[in-house]
Amino acid sequence: MKKFVIECSNCKKKMKIQNKPAKYKCPSCGTIHKIGRIKLIGISIKSFFTGIIDTIRDIKNNMVYRYNSAKATYKYMSQLKKNMKNDPNWSNYRNQQREEKQMRDANKKSFKDFFKKKVS
């Protein structure tokens, strides 16, 4: 059964009630609250709009977070690009990496070499 959270009118603490008209006792102060059908409808409508407002707030916060993340990434990439242009060795870095890999691969024996007979 669906439950609602309401605030006690006496102690201002939150308490859970079920979705049916009944008398509910506050667990903190012991005040008895009589909840009728009309009040339940009001609580239901209020919780519906509260849920919509919370969803809109979450969407807004998510958009702000994504915007700030994209902005920070753009700043970082701009700074990185600027630093690469200032470093004369950066343009040769990839070429050096490629050449080192080719040298390593040239020294490796292939699978076919394993089966070739050695000539002595």
Side-chain angles (χ1 to χ4, degrees), residues 2-59:
K2 188 174 179 181
K3 292 189 177 185
F4 297 110
V5 177
I6 64 168
E7 190 176 277
C8 176
S9 58
N10 191 25
C11 65
K12 305 294 183 202
K13 294 202 176 181
K14 294 181 179 180
M15 58 186 258
K16 287 184 182 179
I17 62 167
Q18 293 181 354
N19 189 13
K20 65 179 184 179
K23 292 180 181 178
Y24 296 97
K25 183 178 180 181
C26 176
S28 299
C29 65
T31 305
I32 304 289
H33 297 279
K34 186 176 179 185
I35 307 292
R37 289 183 189 197
I38 296 174
K39 194 162 185 175
L40 272 177
I41 293 171
I43 292 169
S44 176
I45 292 171
K46 182 182 174 187
S47 67
F48 173 77
F49 286 110
T50 303
I52 289 175
I53 291 169
D54 289 345
T55 302
I56 291 170
R57 188 179 304 121
D58 289 344
I59 290 170

Side-chain angles (χ1 to χ4, degrees), residues 59-73:
I59 290 170
K60 182 201 137 231
N61 289 340
N62 191 9
M63 289 172 67
V64 168
Y65 171 75
R66 287 178 182 238
Y67 171 75
N68 289 335
S69 295
K71 189 175 166 183
T73 302

